[in-house]
Amino acid sequence: AASDVYKRQVHTEGVGADGETLCKSDTFTNTYTANTITVSKVVLGSLGDKAKDFAFTINFKKAESENAPTAITYTVDDVKHTVAFDDNGEAAVHFTLHDDQSLSFVNVPAGVKYTVTEDNYSSAGYTTELYLVDGETRTTGEKTMSADAAEFTFRNIKDGSIDTGVILD
């Protein structure tokens, strides 16, 4: 029925030439900003195991004034996964990487908070360093997604003397 049809109108205003008067405006800007978070692994040192899988967790928390995102995705072994947020607007993804591997989370909206952590491997003799793209060493902590891509490289270093089996005495 015609009575069930609602007319929707958008009314936009801008500041007039005098800088004070509001007047009709035919244009407005609607922006959506999202980008990518990439986590990479590098294993160094004479005893570093380049085939070893290292465990990571990335925690997401929705922006205060937004609904939980529904389109953050990542791909593992050619299978695309979507990050699932709970009723509190939080999500956690557990994954592993070995030397020279990366995982990218795409379409992360600006304003989403996230924390990337690696399990502790100090008991296995590894020292872990986190390097950002600019080469600066930093610690992990909660960060907020911006319009810029975020890249994290976790370096695990294990040095030591290799037993050659030669008796010197």
PDB file of all heavy atoms in Angstrom, residues 137-167:
ATOM      1  N   THR A 137      62.957  -0.729  18.266  1.00  0.00           N
ATOM      2  CA  THR A 137      62.549  -1.796  19.171  1.00  0.00           C
ATOM      3  C   THR A 137      61.477  -1.240  20.099  1.00  0.00           C
ATOM      4  O   THR A 137      61.638  -0.171  20.670  1.00  0.00           O
ATOM      5  CB  THR A 137      63.734  -2.283  20.022  1.00  0.00           C
ATOM      6  OG1 THR A 137      64.779  -2.699  19.142  1.00  0.00           O
ATOM      7  CG2 THR A 137      63.336  -3.448  20.901  1.00  0.00           C
ATOM      8  N   ARG A 138      60.389  -1.968  20.242  1.00  0.00           N
ATOM      9  CA  ARG A 138      59.319  -1.535  21.136  1.00  0.00           C
ATOM     10  C   ARG A 138      58.747  -2.743  21.842  1.00  0.00           C
ATOM     11  O   ARG A 138      58.919  -3.864  21.423  1.00  0.00           O
ATOM     12  CB  ARG A 138      58.198  -0.851  20.340  1.00  0.00           C
ATOM     13  CG  ARG A 138      58.663   0.407  19.660  1.00  0.00           C
ATOM     14  CD  ARG A 138      57.529   1.318  19.368  1.00  0.00           C
ATOM     15  NE  ARG A 138      58.032   2.453  18.598  1.00  0.00           N
ATOM     16  CZ  ARG A 138      57.340   3.070  17.684  1.00  0.00           C
ATOM     17  NH1 ARG A 138      56.138   2.694  17.400  1.00  0.00           N
ATOM     18  NH2 ARG A 138      57.847   4.085  17.046  1.00  0.00           N
ATOM     19  N   THR A 139      58.013  -2.479  22.876  1.00  0.00           N
ATOM     20  CA  THR A 139      57.320  -3.560  23.566  1.00  0.00           C
ATOM     21  C   THR A 139      55.898  -3.622  23.031  1.00  0.00           C
ATOM     22  O   THR A 139      55.404  -2.675  22.433  1.00  0.00           O
ATOM     23  CB  THR A 139      57.289  -3.303  25.081  1.00  0.00           C
ATOM     24  OG1 THR A 139      56.642  -2.050  25.315  1.00  0.00           O
ATOM     25  CG2 THR A 139      58.682  -3.283  25.656  1.00  0.00           C
ATOM     26  N   THR A 140      55.254  -4.742  23.255  1.00  0.00           N
ATOM     27  CA  THR A 140      53.863  -4.838  22.848  1.00  0.00           C
ATOM     28  C   THR A 140      53.023  -4.066  23.838  1.00  0.00           C
ATOM     29  O   THR A 140      53.451  -3.733  24.927  1.00  0.00           O
ATOM     30  CB  THR A 140      53.388  -6.303  22.798  1.00  0.00           C
ATOM     31  OG1 THR A 140      53.567  -6.866  24.088  1.00  0.00           O
ATOM     32  CG2 THR A 140      54.138  -7.082  21.763  1.00  0.00           C
ATOM     33  N   GLY A 141      51.849  -3.810  23.488  1.00  0.00           N
ATOM     34  CA  GLY A 141      50.906  -3.095  24.331  1.00  0.00           C
ATOM     35  C   GLY A 141      49.701  -2.764  23.484  1.00  0.00           C
ATOM     36  O   GLY A 141      49.718  -2.946  22.265  1.00  0.00           O
ATOM     37  N   GLU A 142      48.659  -2.287  24.109  1.00  0.00           N
ATOM     38  CA  GLU A 142      47.449  -1.968  23.360  1.00  0.00           C
ATOM     39  C   GLU A 142      47.701  -0.800  22.421  1.00  0.00           C
ATOM     40  O   GLU A 142      48.241   0.218  22.814  1.00  0.00           O
ATOM     41  CB  GLU A 142      46.303  -1.639  24.317  1.00  0.00           C
ATOM     42  CG  GLU A 142      44.983  -1.470  23.601  1.00  0.00           C
ATOM     43  CD  GLU A 142      43.828  -1.288  24.550  1.00  0.00           C
ATOM     44  OE1 GLU A 142      43.702  -0.175  25.089  1.00  0.00           O
ATOM     45  OE2 GLU A 142      43.060  -2.248  24.732  1.00  0.00           O
ATOM     46  N   LYS A 143      47.308  -0.976  21.193  1.00  0.00           N
ATOM     47  CA  LYS A 143      47.442   0.055  20.171  1.00  0.00           C
ATOM     48  C   LYS A 143      46.072   0.279  19.570  1.00  0.00           C
ATOM     49  O   LYS A 143      45.181  -0.545  19.691  1.00  0.00           O
ATOM     50  CB  LYS A 143      48.413  -0.397  19.087  1.00  0.00           C
ATOM     51  CG  LYS A 143      49.749  -0.875  19.667  1.00  0.00           C
ATOM     52  CD  LYS A 143      50.902  -0.525  18.806  1.00  0.00           C
ATOM     53  CE  LYS A 143      52.221  -0.976  19.361  1.00  0.00           C
ATOM     54  NZ  LYS A 143      52.594  -0.564  20.662  1.00  0.00           N
ATOM     55  N   THR A 144      45.895   1.415  18.908  1.00  0.00           N
ATOM     56  CA  THR A 144      44.637   1.734  18.247  1.00  0.00           C
ATOM     57  C   THR A 144      44.883   1.824  16.753  1.00  0.00           C
ATOM     58  O   THR A 144      45.817   2.502  16.318  1.00  0.00           O
ATOM     59  CB  THR A 144      44.058   3.066  18.775  1.00  0.00           C
ATOM     60  OG1 THR A 144      43.878   2.951  20.188  1.00  0.00           O
ATOM     61  CG2 THR A 144      42.726   3.379  18.121  1.00  0.00           C
ATOM     62  N   MET A 145      44.063   1.136  15.973  1.00  0.00           N
ATOM     63  CA  MET A 145      44.202   1.151  14.511  1.00  0.00           C
ATOM     64  C   MET A 145      43.961   2.557  13.997  1.00  0.00           C
ATOM     65  O   MET A 145      43.059   3.249  14.442  1.00  0.00           O
ATOM     66  CB  MET A 145      43.193   0.180  13.880  1.00  0.00           C
ATOM     67  CG  MET A 145      43.469  -0.108  12.435  1.00  0.00           C
ATOM     68  SD  MET A 145      44.981  -1.071  12.292  1.00  0.00           S
ATOM     69  CE  MET A 145      45.585  -0.561  10.724  1.00  0.00           C
ATOM     70  N   SER A 146      44.808   2.960  13.059  1.00  0.00           N
ATOM     71  CA  SER A 146      44.653   4.265  12.425  1.00  0.00           C
ATOM     72  C   SER A 146      44.474   4.047  10.932  1.00  0.00           C
ATOM     73  O   SER A 146      44.235   2.937  10.477  1.00  0.00           O
ATOM     74  CB  SER A 146      45.890   5.131  12.704  1.00  0.00           C
ATOM     75  OG  SER A 146      47.011   4.596  12.025  1.00  0.00           O
ATOM     76  N   ALA A 147      44.622   5.093  10.168  1.00  0.00           N
ATOM     77  CA  ALA A 147      44.504   4.986   8.712  1.00  0.00           C
ATOM     78  C   ALA A 147      45.754   4.362   8.104  1.00  0.00           C
ATOM     79  O   ALA A 147      45.773   4.042   6.920  1.00  0.00           O
ATOM     80  CB  ALA A 147      44.257   6.361   8.112  1.00  0.00           C
ATOM     81  N   ASP A 148      46.798   4.188   8.911  1.00  0.00           N
ATOM     82  CA  ASP A 148      48.056   3.625   8.423  1.00  0.00           C
ATOM     83  C   ASP A 148      48.144   2.140   8.759  1.00  0.00           C
ATOM     84  O   ASP A 148      47.682   1.703   9.814  1.00  0.00           O
ATOM     85  CB  ASP A 148      49.250   4.344   9.063  1.00  0.00           C
ATOM     86  CG  ASP A 148      49.262   5.830   8.737  1.00  0.00           C
ATOM     87  OD1 ASP A 148      48.958   6.187   7.585  1.00  0.00           O
ATOM     88  OD2 ASP A 148      49.569   6.624   9.643  1.00  0.00           O
ATOM     89  N   ALA A 149      48.767   1.380   7.869  1.00  0.00           N
ATOM     90  CA  ALA A 149      48.988  -0.042   8.120  1.00  0.00           C
ATOM     91  C   ALA A 149      49.943  -0.210   9.302  1.00  0.00           C
ATOM     92  O   ALA A 149      50.799   0.634   9.546  1.00  0.00           O
ATOM     93  CB  ALA A 149      49.563  -0.708   6.876  1.00  0.00           C
ATOM     94  N   ALA A 150      49.778  -1.299  10.032  1.00  0.00           N
ATOM     95  CA  ALA A 150      50.651  -1.605  11.166  1.00  0.00           C
ATOM     96  C   ALA A 150      51.404  -2.893  10.855  1.00  0.00           C
ATOM     97  O   ALA A 150      50.806  -3.873  10.417  1.00  0.00           O
ATOM     98  CB  ALA A 150      49.829  -1.770  12.435  1.00  0.00           C
ATOM     99  N   GLU A 151      52.723  -2.870  11.068  1.00  0.00           N
ATOM    100  CA  GLU A 151      53.552  -4.049  10.816  1.00  0.00           C
ATOM    101  C   GLU A 151      54.415  -4.329  12.036  1.00  0.00           C
ATOM    102  O   GLU A 151      55.050  -3.430  12.564  1.00  0.00           O
ATOM    103  CB  GLU A 151      54.436  -3.835   9.593  1.00  0.00           C
ATOM    104  CG  GLU A 151      53.650  -3.688   8.309  1.00  0.00           C
ATOM    105  CD  GLU A 151      54.542  -3.576   7.088  1.00  0.00           C
ATOM    106  OE1 GLU A 151      55.564  -4.294   7.033  1.00  0.00           O
ATOM    107  OE2 GLU A 151      54.219  -2.775   6.214  1.00  0.00           O
ATOM    108  N   PHE A 152      54.408  -5.590  12.459  1.00  0.00           N
ATOM    109  CA  PHE A 152      55.196  -6.015  13.603  1.00  0.00           C
ATOM    110  C   PHE A 152      56.065  -7.192  13.195  1.00  0.00           C
ATOM    111  O   PHE A 152      55.564  -8.153  12.617  1.00  0.00           O
ATOM    112  CB  PHE A 152      54.295  -6.462  14.755  1.00  0.00           C
ATOM    113  CG  PHE A 152      53.387  -5.382  15.255  1.00  0.00           C
ATOM    114  CD1 PHE A 152      52.128  -5.216  14.705  1.00  0.00           C
ATOM    115  CD2 PHE A 152      53.797  -4.534  16.260  1.00  0.00           C
ATOM    116  CE1 PHE A 152      51.286  -4.217  15.163  1.00  0.00           C
ATOM    117  CE2 PHE A 152      52.965  -3.527  16.721  1.00  0.00           C
ATOM    118  CZ  PHE A 152      51.704  -3.375  16.165  1.00  0.00           C
ATOM    119  N   THR A 153      57.353  -7.129  13.510  1.00  0.00           N
ATOM    120  CA  THR A 153      58.256  -8.249  13.264  1.00  0.00           C
ATOM    121  C   THR A 153      58.801  -8.718  14.606  1.00  0.00           C
ATOM    122  O   THR A 153      59.471  -7.959  15.297  1.00  0.00           O
ATOM    123  CB  THR A 153      59.416  -7.841  12.331  1.00  0.00           C
ATOM    124  OG1 THR A 153      58.877  -7.393  11.096  1.00  0.00           O
ATOM    125  CG2 THR A 153      60.348  -9.019  12.083  1.00  0.00           C
ATOM    126  N   PHE A 154      58.477  -9.957  14.956  1.00  0.00           N
ATOM    127  CA  PHE A 154      58.996 -10.553  16.184  1.00  0.00           C
ATOM    128  C   PHE A 154      60.244 -11.340  15.810  1.00  0.00           C
ATOM    129  O   PHE A 154      60.199 -12.217  14.949  1.00  0.00           O
ATOM    130  CB  PHE A 154      57.954 -11.494  16.801  1.00  0.00           C
ATOM    131  CG  PHE A 154      56.827 -10.776  17.474  1.00  0.00           C
ATOM    132  CD1 PHE A 154      55.760 -10.284  16.731  1.00  0.00           C
ATOM    133  CD2 PHE A 154      56.820 -10.596  18.843  1.00  0.00           C
ATOM    134  CE1 PHE A 154      54.707  -9.632  17.347  1.00  0.00           C
ATOM    135  CE2 PHE A 154      55.776  -9.941  19.470  1.00  0.00           C
ATOM    136  CZ  PHE A 154      54.708  -9.453  18.715  1.00  0.00           C
ATOM    137  N   ARG A 155      61.356 -10.992  16.462  1.00  0.00           N
ATOM    138  CA  ARG A 155      62.633 -11.683  16.224  1.00  0.00           C
ATOM    139  C   ARG A 155      62.941 -12.548  17.433  1.00  0.00           C
ATOM    140  O   ARG A 155      62.983 -12.055  18.549  1.00  0.00           O
ATOM    141  CB  ARG A 155      63.751 -10.671  16.005  1.00  0.00           C
ATOM    142  CG  ARG A 155      63.596  -9.877  14.754  1.00  0.00           C
ATOM    143  CD  ARG A 155      64.609  -8.775  14.561  1.00  0.00           C
ATOM    144  NE  ARG A 155      65.833  -8.916  15.319  1.00  0.00           N
ATOM    145  CZ  ARG A 155      66.966  -8.322  15.006  1.00  0.00           C
ATOM    146  NH1 ARG A 155      67.034  -7.554  13.956  1.00  0.00           N
ATOM    147  NH2 ARG A 155      68.031  -8.480  15.743  1.00  0.00           N
ATOM    148  N   ASN A 156      63.150 -13.836  17.194  1.00  0.00           N
ATOM    149  CA  ASN A 156      63.562 -14.747  18.249  1.00  0.00           C
ATOM    150  C   ASN A 156      65.009 -15.131  17.989  1.00  0.00           C
ATOM    151  O   ASN A 156      65.349 -15.600  16.906  1.00  0.00           O
ATOM    152  CB  ASN A 156      62.683 -15.991  18.278  1.00  0.00           C
ATOM    153  CG  ASN A 156      61.294 -15.666  18.754  1.00  0.00           C
ATOM    154  OD1 ASN A 156      60.512 -15.133  17.980  1.00  0.00           O
ATOM    155  ND2 ASN A 156      60.998 -15.954  19.994  1.00  0.00           N
ATOM    156  N   ILE A 157      65.848 -14.936  19.002  1.00  0.00           N
ATOM    157  CA  ILE A 157      67.285 -15.153  18.856  1.00  0.00           C
ATOM    158  C   ILE A 157      67.716 -16.220  19.855  1.00  0.00           C
ATOM    159  O   ILE A 157      67.396 -16.144  21.049  1.00  0.00           O
ATOM    160  CB  ILE A 157      68.060 -13.844  19.116  1.00  0.00           C
ATOM    161  CG1 ILE A 157      67.542 -12.740  18.183  1.00  0.00           C
ATOM    162  CG2 ILE A 157      69.558 -14.056  18.938  1.00  0.00           C
ATOM    163  CD1 ILE A 157      67.856 -11.351  18.646  1.00  0.00           C
ATOM    164  N   LYS A 158      68.460 -17.214  19.349  1.00  0.00           N
ATOM    165  CA  LYS A 158      68.997 -18.259  20.228  1.00  0.00           C
ATOM    166  C   LYS A 158      70.432 -18.517  19.799  1.00  0.00           C
ATOM    167  O   LYS A 158      70.687 -19.105  18.754  1.00  0.00           O
ATOM    168  CB  LYS A 158      68.170 -19.535  20.135  1.00  0.00           C
ATOM    169  CG  LYS A 158      68.601 -20.608  21.123  1.00  0.00           C
ATOM    170  CD  LYS A 158      67.661 -21.790  21.092  1.00  0.00           C
ATOM    171  CE  LYS A 158      68.043 -22.823  22.139  1.00  0.00           C
ATOM    172  NZ  LYS A 158      67.124 -23.974  22.109  1.00  0.00           N
ATOM    173  N   ASP A 159      71.366 -18.050  20.619  1.00  0.00           N
ATOM    174  CA  ASP A 159      72.781 -18.253  20.353  1.00  0.00           C
ATOM    175  C   ASP A 159      73.339 -19.261  21.349  1.00  0.00           C
ATOM    176  O   ASP A 159      72.701 -19.599  22.338  1.00  0.00           O
ATOM    177  CB  ASP A 159      73.557 -16.931  20.472  1.00  0.00           C
ATOM    178  CG  ASP A 159      73.381 -16.061  19.249  1.00  0.00           C
ATOM    179  OD1 ASP A 159      73.452 -16.594  18.125  1.00  0.00           O
ATOM    180  OD2 ASP A 159      73.157 -14.843  19.410  1.00  0.00           O
ATOM    181  N   GLY A 160      74.541 -19.697  21.075  1.00  0.00           N
ATOM    182  CA  GLY A 160      75.212 -20.637  21.966  1.00  0.00           C
ATOM    183  C   GLY A 160      76.341 -21.305  21.221  1.00  0.00           C
ATOM    184  O   GLY A 160      76.587 -21.052  20.061  1.00  0.00           O
ATOM    185  N   SER A 161      77.039 -22.163  21.912  1.00  0.00           N
ATOM    186  CA  SER A 161      78.142 -22.905  21.298  1.00  0.00           C
ATOM    187  C   SER A 161      77.616 -24.211  20.757  1.00  0.00           C
ATOM    188  O   SER A 161      76.891 -24.953  21.429  1.00  0.00           O
ATOM    189  CB  SER A 161      79.237 -23.188  22.341  1.00  0.00           C
ATOM    190  OG  SER A 161      79.724 -21.976  22.851  1.00  0.00           O
ATOM    191  N   ILE A 162      77.994 -24.502  19.563  1.00  0.00           N
ATOM    192  CA  ILE A 162      77.589 -25.749  18.929  1.00  0.00           C
ATOM    193  C   ILE A 162      78.597 -26.826  19.310  1.00  0.00           C
ATOM    194  O   ILE A 162      79.806 -26.652  19.123  1.00  0.00           O
ATOM    195  CB  ILE A 162      77.507 -25.587  17.389  1.00  0.00           C
ATOM    196  CG1 ILE A 162      76.460 -24.532  17.055  1.00  0.00           C
ATOM    197  CG2 ILE A 162      77.199 -26.913  16.727  1.00  0.00           C
ATOM    198  CD1 ILE A 162      76.398 -24.159  15.603  1.00  0.00           C
ATOM    199  N   ASP A 163      78.114 -27.919  19.859  1.00  0.00           N
ATOM    200  CA  ASP A 163      78.976 -29.029  20.275  1.00  0.00           C
ATOM    201  C   ASP A 163      79.473 -29.748  19.024  1.00  0.00           C
ATOM    202  O   ASP A 163      78.685 -30.310  18.261  1.00  0.00           O
ATOM    203  CB  ASP A 163      78.178 -29.982  21.147  1.00  0.00           C
ATOM    204  CG  ASP A 163      79.023 -31.122  21.683  1.00  0.00           C
ATOM    205  OD1 ASP A 163      80.253 -31.144  21.429  1.00  0.00           O
ATOM    206  OD2 ASP A 163      78.468 -31.995  22.365  1.00  0.00           O
ATOM    207  N   THR A 164      80.766 -29.668  18.784  1.00  0.00           N
ATOM    208  CA  THR A 164      81.347 -30.305  17.598  1.00  0.00           C
ATOM    209  C   THR A 164      81.768 -31.742  17.860  1.00  0.00           C
ATOM    210  O   THR A 164      82.113 -32.473  16.938  1.00  0.00           O
ATOM    211  CB  THR A 164      82.572 -29.518  17.102  1.00  0.00           C
ATOM    212  OG1 THR A 164      83.542 -29.488  18.148  1.00  0.00           O
ATOM    213  CG2 THR A 164      82.184 -28.111  16.695  1.00  0.00           C
ATOM    214  N   GLY A 165      81.809 -32.140  19.121  1.00  0.00           N
ATOM    215  CA  GLY A 165      82.194 -33.505  19.454  1.00  0.00           C
ATOM    216  C   GLY A 165      83.686 -33.730  19.474  1.00  0.00           C
ATOM    217  O   GLY A 165      84.158 -34.859  19.622  1.00  0.00           O
ATOM    218  N   VAL A 166      84.481 -32.663  19.343  1.00  0.00           N
ATOM    219  CA  VAL A 166      85.944 -32.801  19.324  1.00  0.00           C
ATOM    220  C   VAL A 166      86.472 -32.677  20.746  1.00  0.00           C
ATOM    221  O   VAL A 166      86.168 -31.717  21.455  1.00  0.00           O
ATOM    222  CB  VAL A 166      86.588 -31.708  18.417  1.00  0.00           C
ATOM    223  CG1 VAL A 166      88.087 -31.795  18.477  1.00  0.00           C
ATOM    224  CG2 VAL A 166      86.079 -31.840  17.005  1.00  0.00           C
ATOM    225  N   ILE A 167      87.273 -33.642  21.173  1.00  0.00           N
ATOM    226  CA  ILE A 167      87.899 -33.593  22.499  1.00  0.00           C
ATOM    227  C   ILE A 167      89.253 -32.933  22.361  1.00  0.00           C
ATOM    228  O   ILE A 167      90.084 -33.359  21.563  1.00  0.00           O
ATOM    229  CB  ILE A 167      88.037 -35.015  23.070  1.00  0.00           C
ATOM    230  CG1 ILE A 167      86.650 -35.653  23.198  1.00  0.00           C
ATOM    231  CG2 ILE A 167      88.768 -34.975  24.426  1.00  0.00           C
ATOM    232  CD1 ILE A 167      86.685 -37.112  23.604  1.00  0.00           C
TER     233      ILE A 167
END
